[in-house]
Amino acid sequence: MVKILVQVSKYVLLLIMIFFTVETFMVLKRKSDEARRRIMRNQIWLMILFNTVSYVIMYLQSEEPYMILMLICVIGYILVVQILYRIIYRKASLILLNTMCMILSVGLVMQSRLGIDNARKQFIIAAFATMVCFIIPVFVRRVRWVSKLTWLYGIVGILLLGAVLALGRVTGGANLNLNIGGISFQFSEFVKISVVLFMAGMLQKRTDFKQVVITTIVVAIHVGILALSADLGAALVYFVAYIVMVYVATRNPGYIALGLGGMAGACVVAYRRFEHVRIRVQVWKDPFSDYEGTGYQIIQALFGVCAGGWFGTGLFNGHPEMIPLAYEDFTFAAICEEFGIIFSICLILLCMGMYLLIVNIALRLDRPFYKLVAIGFGTEYAFQVFLTIGGTTKFIPMTGITLPLVSYGGSSLMCTIAMISIIQGLYIMRKDEDEELEEERRERIRRNRELQRQPQNRDQGFRPQQYRPEQPFRPEQQYEQQPYRPQGQSGQVRQDTGDLERKIEEQTKEDLALRNH
């Protein structure tokens, strides 16, 4: 009976993932607020159903009581986060929140399958990070001097990376972690935030060649320290974010060409300088040349991807534990094995959907600093997903980067949740600006109606002056004297009033359209 339930459950989980992914993209096309709210409510139910089916099946397979406890905790987390966001941040992007919760749910289910202890730690870190990061959106809205701390971000990032280089622990040939009080921190994850804030601060007002050179030098110091620590995956993420942000700020494609040329040269130097880089390249070219040695990890990952087929083996019916570091670097391979390739494709689309949501928010922001921050965070997230999945499927050499919100890793998880919270703050700030513009429009209409009700205006007759958006709107100066027209005086006033309101409506719509573009 349990085997039948497992086989049925894998198709149920696949359908849930397909529906959720489709609705994530469909919500972008819905213009009605009610239609969007209905989709987002459906997504909450889909998330609850996904976790319920997954953990019940894993409990039946493993008879581990902690599976039921994890189910209660994960569903409680989803509901609490949804309720708090609706109470505290009513203007937040709920579709972005739902996407984050769904990707996190997939990660927690897979971590529970691979080891309940890791899943328990991952959940505690996620819950703690989410609660702490609840203050970030209001901080972004209220504190406007964050854009003035440019050099502080750069100095703090260099100091953190330098501390890891000097005092860190070597793992897998790279100096990645620093132990503080028995807790391991990967500071390169947190510096992903500070380096984007530094670049946005440098390029928010000036984009001349001198400013770009200064920015490049500081970012090069970050990347150089990571190269000395042999953390080349993080260095690559920083560098790609730098190229994209410089191009967005300057609109000069020459910087992209110089950046790509520099990256190619750096890759050649890294290949000759670091032995573990040469090993990874060799494994990427021909992993079967050393099947029982250096190629064993990637070969087992490829076997896992192929073993699941299109629909997967079902939870606890595969052997993802045979993949070394399946809970960290090769979590995507474990997902492919037990959930199937179609499910994994939906997961990729969901990750890209989150990236599109971030870019959509960035394009709607007016201030260069906030626009560059959103673009930088979105680029880091998307490129990290590309590096992880590309390395797992042997599309590119493995870099040792975790899959955000899915792979086990406290620093990566906290950093990703913090970045999404900052994006939420930017989205809320944008909504506030839209409401202020709408309020200004209503105030214009109200003032003009009051002026038109004044007796002297009715006696003298008037014609409203055409509104010009490039000039400040002054209702008391918008009317000019017109010759007296005795015929149909009251009807003419009503006609002029209607024309004025219609022109204000049309001009306001044009202003909103320009700001959205």
Side-chain angles (χ1 to χ4, degrees):
M1 184 64 182
V2 174
K3 292 183 178 179
I4 296 176
L5 291 176
V6 172
Q7 292 300 316
V8 173
S9 68
K10 69 180 185 181
Y11 297 106
V12 173
L13 295 174
L14 176 59
L15 290 176
I16 293 173
M17 191 64 172
I18 292 174
F19 289 151
F20 190 96
T21 305
V22 170
E23 290 192 334
T24 299
F25 288 92
M26 289 297 295
V27 75
L28 299 175
K29 297 183 178 181
R30 294 289 186 265
K31 297 182 180 181
S32 170
D33 291 336
E34 179 59 31
R36 292 190 176 192
R37 285 194 292 268
R38 184 173 62 253
I39 289 177
M40 287 181 281
R41 286 195 298 268
N42 292 339
Q43 287 186 326
I44 296 175
W45 288 112
L46 288 174
M47 284 188 286
I48 293 175
L49 182 59
F50 174 82
N51 284 283
T52 302
V53 173
S54 299
Y55 282 104
V56 168
I57 291 299
M58 288 192 292
Y59 171 74
L60 294 176
Q61 288 279 66
S62 65
E63 297 183 356
E64 175 62 63
Y66 277 105
M67 293 295 181
I68 302 300
L69 180 61
M70 278 295 299
L71 171 62
I72 297 173
C73 291
V74 173
I75 292 179
Y77 170 86
I78 293 172
L79 295 178
V80 168
V81 169
Q82 294 285 339
I83 293 172
L84 288 179
Y85 259 94
R86 283 168 170 79
I87 294 175
I88 302 176
Y89 302 116
R90 297 182 179 180
K91 302 173 187 175
S93 175
L94 297 180
I95 186 62
L96 182 62
L97 177 66
N98 288 351
T99 306
M100 182 198 78
C101 289
M102 186 60 181
I103 296 175
L104 182 61
S105 296
V106 174
L108 290 173
V109 167
M110 202 66 242
Q111 294 300 328
S112 300
R113 163 63 182 92
L114 295 172
I116 194 65
D117 290 337
N118 287 340
R120 177 175 54 83
K121 295 177 183 177
Q122 187 86 334
F123 174 78
I124 292 174
I125 294 172
F128 174 77
T130 304
M131 294 301 106
V132 171
C133 291
F134 258 107
I135 196 175
I136 291 181
V138 70
F139 184 82
V140 172
R141 291 172 59 198
R142 301 296 182 184
V143 181
R144 300 303 174 95
W145 43 261
V146 292
S147 61
K148 301 178 181 179
L149 304 178
T150 302
W151 285 103
L152 178 62
Y153 302 135
I155 293 172
V156 169
I158 292 173
L159 290 178
L160 290 177
L161 294 180
V164 175
L165 175 62
L167 307 173
R169 177 169 54 91
V170 177
T171 303
N175 203 350
L176 303 177
N177 305 317
L178 184 63
N179 289 325
I180 300 177
I183 302 177
S184 179
F185 293 92
Q186 191 170 351
F187 284 147
S188 62
E189 293 289 341
F190 299 101
V191 177
K192 285 195 301 186
I193 297 177
S194 66
V195 73
V196 167
L197 294 175
F198 169 78
M199 289 188 288
M202 291 293 292
L203 301 173
Q204 61 178 326
K205 293 182 180 179
R206 293 174 50 197
T207 57
D208 54 273
F209 181 74
K210 180 181 178 181
Q211 193 76 353
V212 173
V213 169
I214 296 174
T215 306
T216 302
I217 292 173
V218 178
V219 175
I221 294 174
H222 284 76
V223 175
I225 295 175
L226 288 172
L228 293 176
S229 302
D231 191 359
L232 301 181
L236 194 57
V237 171
Y238 289 14
F239 194 75
V240 171
Y242 157 78
I243 292 176
V244 173
M245 292 179 67
V246 168
Y247 173 72
V248 171
T250 62
R251 302 290 182 179
N252 187 349
Y255 289 121
I256 295 182
L258 290 175
L260 293 177
M263 184 173 66
C267 291
V268 173
V269 173
Y271 179 81
R272 296 181 178 179
R273 171 70 174 78
F274 301 106
E275 182 180 359
H276 74 280
V277 174
R278 292 194 295 271
I279 292 174
R280 288 182 178 181
V281 173
Q282 181 61 37
V283 168
W284 170 64
K285 293 170 60 178
D286 185 12
F288 290 94
S289 61
D290 189 9
Y291 174 79
E292 297 182 355
T294 57
Y296 181 77
Q297 189 178 34
I298 186 64
I299 289 174
Q300 290 299 113
L302 293 175
F303 283 162
V305 172
C306 298
W310 291 107
F311 305 103
T313 62
L315 289 168
F316 275 94
N317 274 5
H319 299 282
E321 66 277 358
M322 296 182 63
I323 305 172
L325 296 177
Y327 59 94
E328 287 184 340
D329 297 353
F330 291 92
T331 309
F332 184 76
I335 292 173
C336 289
E337 181 171 357
E338 298 209 335
F339 286 102
I341 294 177
I342 298 178
F343 184 98
S344 301
I345 292 174
C346 291
L347 179 61
I348 296 173
L349 293 175
L350 209 56
C351 293
M352 291 301 99
M354 177 175 285
Y355 171 68
L356 291 177
L357 289 171
I358 295 174
V359 171
N360 185 49
I361 293 172
L363 294 177
R364 293 175 178 269
L365 296 171
D366 294 329
R367 300 178 184 178
F369 177 79
Y370 297 122
K371 182 186 292 289
L372 290 173
V373 167
I375 288 292
F377 287 160
T379 301
E380 287 183 337
Y381 173 80
F383 195 68
Q384 189 168 339
V385 171
F386 168 75
L387 289 179
T388 305
I389 297 177
T392 302
T393 56
K394 201 178 161 296
F395 183 74
I396 59 174
M398 192 64 192
T399 57
I401 292 290
T402 58
L403 186 59
L405 299 175
V406 177
S407 299
Y408 177 75
S411 298
S412 175
L413 182 60
M414 294 179 67
C415 173
T416 305
I417 293 176
M419 289 195 299
I420 293 174
S421 299
I422 295 174
I423 298 297
Q424 290 282 17
L426 298 178
Y427 181 82
I428 295 170
M429 185 173 61
R430 169 62 182 169
K431 296 288 285 186
D432 289 339
E433 293 176 353
D434 287 344
E435 288 190 356
E436 290 176 3
L437 184 62
E438 179 66 19
E439 185 64 27
E440 290 177 3
R441 183 189 70 84
R442 294 175 181 174
E443 184 67 17
R444 292 172 187 171
I445 296 176
R446 185 186 66 80
R447 289 180 179 178
N448 282 279
R449 285 177 177 174
E450 290 179 356
L451 289 172
Q452 291 164 8
R453 293 193 187 101
Q454 296 177 3
Q456 60 270 23
N457 287 339
R458 290 196 186 97
D459 296 338
Q460 297 173 2
F462 66 95
R463 180 173 59 84
Q465 185 179 9
Q466 184 178 6
Y467 171 65
R468 298 179 180 179
E470 66 272 12
Q471 298 178 354
F473 187 79
R474 300 176 183 173
E476 65 274 9
Q477 299 179 4
Q478 293 299 310
Y479 305 97
E480 60 185 22
Q481 300 295 329
Q482 298 294 330
Y484 176 72
R485 298 178 183 177
Q487 68 277 11
Q489 180 178 355
S490 59
Q492 182 66 33
V493 171
R494 285 194 298 270
Q495 182 180 358
D496 291 340
T497 302
D499 292 341
L500 176 62
E501 292 180 0
R502 184 168 59 256
K503 290 178 180 179
I504 293 175
E505 290 281 352
E506 293 175 356
Q507 185 60 49
T508 304
K509 291 180 180 179
E510 293 178 3
D511 290 346
L512 288 172
L514 289 174
R515 294 188 66 175
N516 288 335
H517 286 292

